[in-house]
């Protein structure tokens, strides 16, 4: 099963150092029945893109909680065994939990299929969105507009061989 793991560049650096994602069960996003129902599509590519988008929003939430991290969203696409993935029933009906799953960890970074990261020109919008997130969660329409502004930036696709360069350890 393909899952999308939200991270920050700090988290990606840690995963690169250790060679694995997570030290125990960790949150990821996948094409779940709830996501299928919400997105109303049978096109697997569209559904996977929606799961990637949910992980990008979760990455933004990580950035809001980690003010020292560079202001770029990071999502790793990882292929894991179906048995390693479980639903999160207690959060099943929360809008921000659509597509959310738990992955029994740790998962070798070598199972990653790709990495998706904001371009540097998105940093200002992502920083503003991370700051506005609590107000947006509280129903502030202006703050939600700011959060949506980060979503206007497409995440760039990187091969796993490029992780070293992304975390500043390339030759």
């Amino acid at each position: 099963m393909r899952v999308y793991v939200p991270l920050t560049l700090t988290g990606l650096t840690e995963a690169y150092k250790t060679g694995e994602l997570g030290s125990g069960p960790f949150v990821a996003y996948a094409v779940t029945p709830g996501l299928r129902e919400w997105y109303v599509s049978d096109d697997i590519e569209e559904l996977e893109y929606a799961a990637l988008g949910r992980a990008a929003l979760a990455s933004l939430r990580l950035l809001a909680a980690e003010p020292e991290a560079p202001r770029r969203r990071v999502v790793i696409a990882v292929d894991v065994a179906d048995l390693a993935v479980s639903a999160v029933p207690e959060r099943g009906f929360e809008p921000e939990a659509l597509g959310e799953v738990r992955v029994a960890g740790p998962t070798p970074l070598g199972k990653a299929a790709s990495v998706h990261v904001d371009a540097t020109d998105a940093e200002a919008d992502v920083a503003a969105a991370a700051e506005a997130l609590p107000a947006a969660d509280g129903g502030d329409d202006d703050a939600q507009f700011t959060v949506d502004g980060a979503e206007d930036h497409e995440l760039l696709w990187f091969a796993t061989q490029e992780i070293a360069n992304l975390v500043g350890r390339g030759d």
Side-chain angles (χ1 to χ4, degrees):
M1 172 182 275
R2 169 83 35 107
V3 298
Y4 298 89
V5 182
L7 291 174
T8 62
L9 280 173
T10 306
L12 181 61
T13 300
E14 183 63 25
Y16 181 74
K17 282 184 202 174
T18 64
E20 60 190 23
L21 294 165
S23 57
F26 59 90
V27 172
Y29 292 80
V31 177
T32 63
L35 186 72
R36 282 179 189 275
E37 185 177 321
W38 171 73
Y39 199 74
V40 191
S41 175
D42 289 329
D43 185 316
I44 192 64
E45 287 182 13
E46 287 182 17
L47 290 165
E48 286 182 347
Y49 186 75
L52 173 68
R54 304 303 294 171
L57 179 58
S59 175
L60 185 64
R61 291 187 181 287
L62 293 173
L63 288 171
E66 193 178 325
E68 70 283 355
R71 307 281 90 180
R72 294 168 71 188
R73 298 167 299 165
V74 177
V75 176
I76 297 184
V78 183
D79 294 319
V80 297
D82 290 352
L83 294 175
V85 179
S86 60
V88 186
E90 66 274 10
R91 295 203 56 209
F93 297 105
E94 296 175 30
E96 66 271 6
L98 284 170
E100 185 176 302
V101 295
R102 295 253 189 269
V103 177
T107 299
L109 190 58
K111 292 194 177 244
S114 59
V115 181
H116 307 266
V117 181
D118 275 310
T120 55
D121 68 354
E123 286 181 358
D125 288 339
V126 171
E131 189 173 314
L133 199 53
D137 287 344
D140 184 319
D141 289 337
D142 291 335
Q144 185 61 53
F145 181 78
T146 301
V147 170
D148 292 343
E151 293 178 9
D152 290 341
H153 294 277
E154 292 286 330
L155 297 177
L156 302 176
W157 181 94
F158 293 91
T160 57
Q161 298 87 336
E162 297 176 275
I163 293 174
N165 291 329
L166 288 169
V167 300
R169 298 183 183 256
D171 295 337

